[in-house]
Amino acid sequence: MCKLFSAFSNGAGDYSIPLVRLDVEPDNTHEELKYLYELSVVDDELDYLGHPDAILLKDGSILDVFPSGHGKGAIRSKISFDGGLTYPGRIENQPESWKTSRETPTVYRLEFSDGTPDKILLISGNPDWHDGKGSIGGFNFSLSDDEGKSWTEFELCFSKKDDFTVIPIVALASLTRLKENGRFVDKWMGFFHDSDFVNYKTVLSFDGGKPVWSTPEPYFANHREIEKKANMCEVEVIRSEQGKGDELCLIARSNNKNYNSLISFSNDEGKTWSEPVFAPSALNGERHKADYAPDGRLFITFRSIERGKEKIRRLFNDKTKIWFSEGWIAWVGTYEDLKNGREGQYRIKLAHTYQKGQTKPDIIAEADTGYCGNVVLPDGTIVTSTYGAFGEKNSDGSLKTYVASKRIRLADTDRLAESLKNQK
């Protein structure tokens, strides 16, 4: 990782680890690996659906939630009962207030130390879309205490009527359970940003069963120059030691794409953060979502942003171009790779997202993808969902954008990655 922000280094470059391509199935694919190239439809009922999040329910089902449009619109839901192969179910009798959602919903499981049954938390922010409607500010949340069968109506926090001037964007991009004196407590730290790319944290706790949110506060004030120049936003926070350790790692999107994604660490439960450094180009992208596999490795999905000048020069006849996307990407590596600035083990192109005019998969892909919902099944299978244009068309000939998912077993992608190394 590069610490030379003040010297205007921006982390640009290509990655050198293998890219396992699951967007094109080779002719000689072994039968047991064919599933890697299959894509399951989560929801394609509208011309455009996007930005899913997902959670594994205790009965083994997978719940996906997403907006009815690009980043906003009535919340829709789908449920898979067979490990992500099909999605026939949905939440019955969804709260009426979910129809007014103005952002991408995010979902999280809350586990309690006092024996209280788990709750599932759904969050939806209220950004200003500059559509003439303005914003009431703050964010909405719903809770379920019966594994997603029923939900409370939206409750609004920190709106303009509360004299709160911050208008959240992607609330909550990440939520992590906190520790006190080395032990987990019933408090959760959530993250969002505003239009000036000030990043905020708020802590959720419960008082007599009633949810209480702390007043949001900026947490990168000591690194404001970097935060502002790179347009840091939409962070993912990963706890060390498979989610049980005492260190937090934060990965942030660089929205202006003039810089690589940034990484920062905290050893005091998010009270202070290290000076952000640039992530290796293998991990560069937007809206990272991370999960630990059973073997302790990290599986991180994101929208690829490629900034390597030589690669751009080879692929495009456009001297003004500063980035392109390889689409829906996953990174496989370890927490120690993040800690030490290493590239990781390999990347996966999960499926091709088509640009207008493309007729077959290519390394160049449509960037309107990512914002993934990932779950890890008890047998270690990872089910990752995203949205994108996967080749089907609407009645008017435009590309249909919908929500889809893919199943991954790292032992199988390991085999493919190893074969790529052997070809060199």
Side-chain angles (χ1 to χ4, degrees):
M1 286 180 284
C2 178
K3 296 185 178 182
L4 301 178
F5 193 94
S6 59
F8 303 105
S9 174
N10 58 20
D14 199 4
Y15 59 87
S16 63
I17 58 177
L19 174 66
V20 175
R21 291 190 61 175
L22 301 183
D23 54 333
V24 180
E25 182 182 335
D27 292 336
N28 60 346
T29 300
H30 292 290
E31 192 65 33
E32 68 269 19
L33 298 180
K34 286 183 176 293
Y35 81 96
L36 290 169
Y37 303 89
E38 297 170 355
L39 201 61
S40 297
V41 174
V42 176
D43 193 342
D44 62 356
E45 295 174 1
L46 301 181
D47 289 350
Y48 187 106
L49 289 167
H51 307 80
D53 200 2
I55 193 167
L56 182 64
L57 303 177
K58 286 194 170 181
D59 66 358
S61 301
I62 301 169
L63 169 63
D64 273 44
V65 292
F66 41 92
S68 300
H70 184 89
K72 62 180 178 179
I75 293 174
R76 298 171 68 91
S77 63
K78 285 287 188 174
I79 301 175
S80 173
F81 306 109
D82 55 11
L85 293 171
T86 61
Y87 290 80
R90 66 183 71 224
I91 298 172
E92 302 295 339
N93 302 313
Q94 289 186 178
E96 282 295 309
S97 52
W98 286 15
K99 295 178 181 178
T100 65
S101 176
R102 289 180 57 82
E103 204 180 27
T104 64
T106 56
V107 288
Y108 302 99
R109 178 175 295 279
L110 307 179
E111 297 176 316
F112 295 85
S113 58
D114 63 359
T116 298
D118 290 4
K119 297 182 185 296
I120 300 176
L121 171 71
L122 181 144
I123 300 281
S124 175
N126 289 305
D128 187 349
W129 286 95
H130 305 290
D131 54 4
K133 297 180 180 179
S135 171
I136 58 176
F139 58 82
N140 298 295
F141 72 93
S142 289
L143 287 165
S144 173
D145 58 10
D146 58 6
E147 290 299 299
K149 295 181 178 64
S150 61
W151 296 79
T152 61
E153 293 287 349
F154 270 155
E155 185 172 339
L156 177 62
C157 294
F158 307 116
S159 68
K160 289 180 178 178
K161 69 180 182 181
D162 301 314
D163 295 324
F164 190 73
T165 57
V166 174
I167 298 179
I169 300 173
V170 189
L172 297 169
S174 185
L175 184 78
T176 188
R177 192 178 183 185
L178 294 174
K179 285 184 171 184
E180 292 179 357
N181 300 316
R183 301 182 64 178
F184 283 111
V185 294
D186 297 342
K187 296 180 181 179
W188 296 263
M189 179 170 54
F191 302 84
F192 64 83
H193 69 282
D194 67 12
S195 59
D196 291 324
F197 297 98
V198 176
N199 288 269
Y200 292 83
K201 67 177 181 180
T202 176
V203 175
L204 168 65
S205 59
F206 287 81
D207 183 2
K210 179 178 175 56
V212 178
W213 298 88
S214 69
T215 301
E217 58 180 303
Y219 60 89
F220 266 140
N222 291 337
H223 310 299
R224 178 58 183 154
E225 180 186 6
I226 298 175
E227 180 185 48
K228 184 175 181 180
K229 282 187 176 180
N231 287 180
M232 291 177 66
C233 64
E234 297 182 16
V235 305
E236 172 69 317
V237 174
I238 306 164
R239 187 175 286 278
S240 61
E241 299 178 30
Q242 290 185 267
K244 299 177 181 179
D246 296 327
E247 183 176 70
L248 300 176
C249 173
L250 177 151
I251 307 176
R253 166 181 180 168
S254 174
N255 194 65
N256 59 22
K257 300 176 181 60
N258 292 324
Y259 303 92
N260 269 16
S261 301
L262 295 107
I263 296 181
S264 178
F265 295 89
S266 175
N267 287 290
D268 57 10
E269 296 299 302
K271 295 181 179 66
T272 61
W273 294 88
S274 64
E275 181 178 0
V277 295
F278 296 114
S281 293
L283 199 57
N284 189 45
E286 298 176 341
R287 198 62 180 101
H288 299 80
K289 293 289 283 187
D291 288 272
Y292 280 104
D295 64 7
R297 286 184 292 172
L298 281 164
F299 179 87
I300 304 179
T301 53
F302 53 95
R303 170 193 294 163
S304 147
I305 300 295
E306 306 305 315
R307 302 180 55 250
K309 293 181 180 179
E310 291 301 319
K311 180 185 277 188
I312 292 173
R313 191 175 294 117
R314 289 197 310 268
L315 295 173
F316 300 92
N317 184 26
D318 183 352
K319 295 182 179 180
T320 66
K321 198 169 188 65
I322 64 170
W323 69 276
F324 75 98
S325 181
E326 291 183 357
W328 182 21
I329 296 295
W331 175 93
V332 179
T334 66
Y335 185 88
E336 288 68 32
D337 290 333
L338 299 179
K339 182 72 175 175
N340 294 293
R342 298 192 295 254
E343 281 195 289
Q345 295 176 351
Y346 57 91
R347 286 164 52 120
I348 306 171
K349 179 160 182 173
L350 294 157
H352 186 62
T353 47
Y354 284 75
Q355 293 185 332
K356 184 178 180 180
Q358 286 184 327
T359 57
K360 61 182 181 179
D362 194 345
I363 196 66
I364 302 166
E366 172 56 50
D368 192 20
T369 187
Y371 287 74
C372 300
N374 303 331
V375 302
V376 182
L377 301 182
D379 68 357
T381 301
I382 298 167
V383 182
T384 176
S385 58
T386 192
Y387 73 106
F390 300 107
E392 290 76 12
K393 293 185 178 181
N394 296 311
S395 58
D396 63 0
S398 63
L399 286 165
K400 177 184 284 288
T401 297
Y402 60 95
V403 180
S405 74
K406 176 158 285 196
R407 292 161 50 89
I408 301 287
R409 288 189 285 270
L410 291 188
D412 292 332
T413 52
D414 288 347
R415 290 170 58 184
L416 299 178
E418 189 62 30
S419 68
L420 291 174
K421 293 179 183 178
N422 294 335
Q423 292 172 17
K424 290 186 177 181

